Amino acid sequence: MKENKNYTVEDVAEEANVSTATVSRVFSGSAKVNTETTNRVIEAAKKLNYRPSRVARRLRVKNTESMVIGLIVTDLQNPFFSEIARGVEDVAYRNENGVMVCNSDENTDKESFYLDTLMDEQVAGLIMAPTSGNHDYIQQLIDQNIPIIFVDRYIDALQVDTVTVDNVTGAYNAVKHLIKLGHRRIGIIGGIKGIYTTDERFRGYAKALEESGIEIDDQLVTYGNSKESGGAEGIRKLLALDNPPTAVFSTNNLMTLGCFEEMYRRDVNVPEDLAIVGFDDMSWASALNPPLTAVRQPGYELGSTAAELLLKRLKNPNRTVSNIELRSNLVIRESCGSPQKDRQEQ
């Protein structure tokens, strides 16, 4: 056995007494190589501790049950997307599959870059929370029969398996709770305009107001960047109004943190001066002062369901497109009032 540990295809070919082309065919899973020769090449590779390139190996293992799937989320720093990623990874691992995780930052150029990268890496399929601007490019991948699952977001124009949460009902329940407590001037801090979840949560907000005979006041509608800074800026705008709201619906967990930080800096007492309800019930929600009333959505289940859908799609590429909508529930704590303990409303 040679001393050099950086063995090449040529070394494996020499050890197995075959051509380099035959070695390449073996590691690409070619059916043109007979079993005896394939076994000889594999034994030579093991003897030399040779590791084929990631892509070549991935092509080879596609002939078994093992695969690598791509996951693109918009913000891994957001605990909600981390929960989705964990759900995807757990299902993938149970099925002896790997996951390559990418972060788009709601940037279409970055999303396109990672889509290209994952295609170059020969992933078996994609799970993604799509941005709002790459529909044509994603359609091209669909036309190439690339298995794609959308998670958290739905795009009506694209025929893709989708797993979402009932955002409208979740937002409706949150705002209806404020209305039941007597609030009539209810502000909303929406996420990035044009994003599916932003639009759906505004629909729930509007539905709750309209059903209660409350006219939507455009001054009470603000939008943020789905980060802490967006929540802080939204609260500043709402509090600066001549007739500020008595309650606020924050539609994103990180923006809710920004709201609390800004209200603390301004000595705004919750809920005495301003009630607040958020969308996303994260692990830290009960640790806020006061504990946050929030819509709980099943992030982990979103990810695990999306991964299961992808595995089904890979096994049966011609199956009917599935659009799965999971339920959310409202967890009532003290940021809108003073309940005795946490309780949930469906």
Side-chain angles (χ1 to χ4, degrees):
M1 185 170 165
K2 299 178 182 180
E3 295 295 326
N4 181 13
K5 300 299 181 182
N6 295 318
Y7 295 114
T8 65
V9 171
E10 288 77 11
D11 295 320
V12 176
E14 181 181 345
E15 182 70 30
N17 194 28
V18 298
S19 68
T20 55
T22 297
V23 173
S24 296
R25 284 198 294 271
V26 168
F27 286 118
S28 67
S30 174
K32 295 180 179 179
V33 183
N34 64 48
T35 302
E36 188 274 330
T37 302
T38 297
N39 290 338
R40 197 161 75 245
V41 170
I42 291 174
E43 287 303 314
K46 288 181 179 178
K47 181 178 179 181
L48 298 177
N49 197 27
Y50 169 76
R51 296 179 65 85
S53 70
R54 290 176 298 167
V55 172
R57 181 176 184 275
R58 199 162 300 133
L59 288 167
R60 175 169 58 85
V61 299
K62 279 186 180 180
N63 289 329
T64 69
E65 292 299 315
S66 297
M67 296 173 292
V68 172
I69 60 178
L71 172 64
I72 303 178
V73 296
T74 62
D75 184 4
L76 275 171
Q77 288 185 319
N78 186 323
F80 169 68
F81 286 110
S82 297
E83 287 185 1
I84 288 177
R86 186 54 192 254
V88 171
E89 191 273 337
D90 279 355
V91 171
Y93 181 74
R94 284 199 300 270
N95 289 275
E96 298 184 350
N97 301 319
V99 182
M100 297 182 69
V101 184
C102 306
N103 192 78
S104 73
D105 289 321
E106 300 287 3
N107 183 307
T108 55
D109 289 339
K110 192 173 183 181
E111 181 183 69
S112 295
F113 170 79
Y114 281 126
L115 285 170
D116 288 340
T117 299
L118 292 170
M119 290 300 96
D120 289 344
E121 291 288 340
Q122 297 287 331
V123 294
L126 295 169
I127 298 172
M128 60 186 299
T131 63
S132 60
N134 268 339
H135 298 182
D136 290 343
Y137 186 74
I138 295 172
Q139 183 61 59
Q140 292 177 23
L141 298 179
I142 296 170
D143 293 340
Q144 296 170 31
N145 297 316
I146 304 299
I148 300 175
I149 311 294
F150 286 164
V151 64
D152 184 50
R153 299 174 182 182
Y154 175 82
I155 297 176
D156 185 58
L158 301 177
Q159 290 297 303
V160 173
D161 293 312
T162 304
V163 187
T164 59
V165 167
D166 187 351
N167 290 278
V168 174
T169 300
Y172 171 87
N173 289 338
V175 177
K176 200 71 173 178
H177 177 66
L178 293 171
I179 293 171
K180 289 178 181 177
L181 294 174
H183 295 282
R184 305 284 294 180
R185 287 189 61 74
I186 302 171
I188 179 173
I189 304 175
I192 299 171
K193 287 186 177 181
I195 300 272
Y196 172 79
T197 49
T198 298
D199 295 343
E200 293 291 280
R201 291 169 195 176
F202 180 81
R203 282 181 56 203
Y205 165 83
K207 179 182 177 182
L209 295 183
E210 290 167 1
E211 283 190 4
S212 302
I214 303 172
E215 185 176 349
I216 296 175
D217 185 343
D218 290 341
Q219 287 189 318
L220 298 179
V221 178
T222 65
Y223 291 92
N225 58 4
S226 297
K227 298 182 184 297
E228 289 95 329
S229 59
E233 178 62 23
I235 282 293
R236 284 195 291 269
K237 289 179 179 178
L238 293 172
L239 292 178
L241 295 173
D242 292 336
N243 186 13
T246 61
V248 169
F249 171 42
S250 171
T251 63
N252 166 275
N253 58 350
L254 296 184
M255 291 198 303
T256 302
L257 275 180
C259 290
F260 268 81
E261 292 166 358
E262 184 64 20
M263 288 186 289
Y264 177 79
R265 284 193 291 267
R266 291 171 172 262
D267 290 325
V268 175
N269 295 316
V270 179
E272 294 82 4
D273 299 330
L274 186 68
I276 183 168
V277 59
F279 205 106
D280 286 336
D281 181 48
M282 308 311 299
S283 59
W284 41 256
S286 59
L288 293 173
N289 186 22
L292 176 69
T293 294
V295 177
R296 177 177 293 166
Q297 56 176 337
Y300 180 91
E301 189 177 354
L302 280 166
S304 61
T305 304
E308 294 285 3
L309 269 182
L310 179 58
L311 294 179
K312 291 177 181 178
R313 175 64 59 188
L314 288 165
K315 290 180 180 178
N316 183 9
N318 297 319
R319 68 190 302 270
T320 303
V321 170
S322 299
N323 295 310
I324 299 174
E325 189 173 72
L326 305 181
R327 296 180 64 184
S328 63
N329 58 277
L330 183 65
V331 181
I332 298 174
R333 298 191 182 94
E334 298 175 19
S335 63
C336 303
S338 300
Q340 294 298 311
K341 60 181 180 179
D342 291 8
R343 57 190 178 90
Q344 297 182 11
E345 290 186 356
Q346 298 300 323

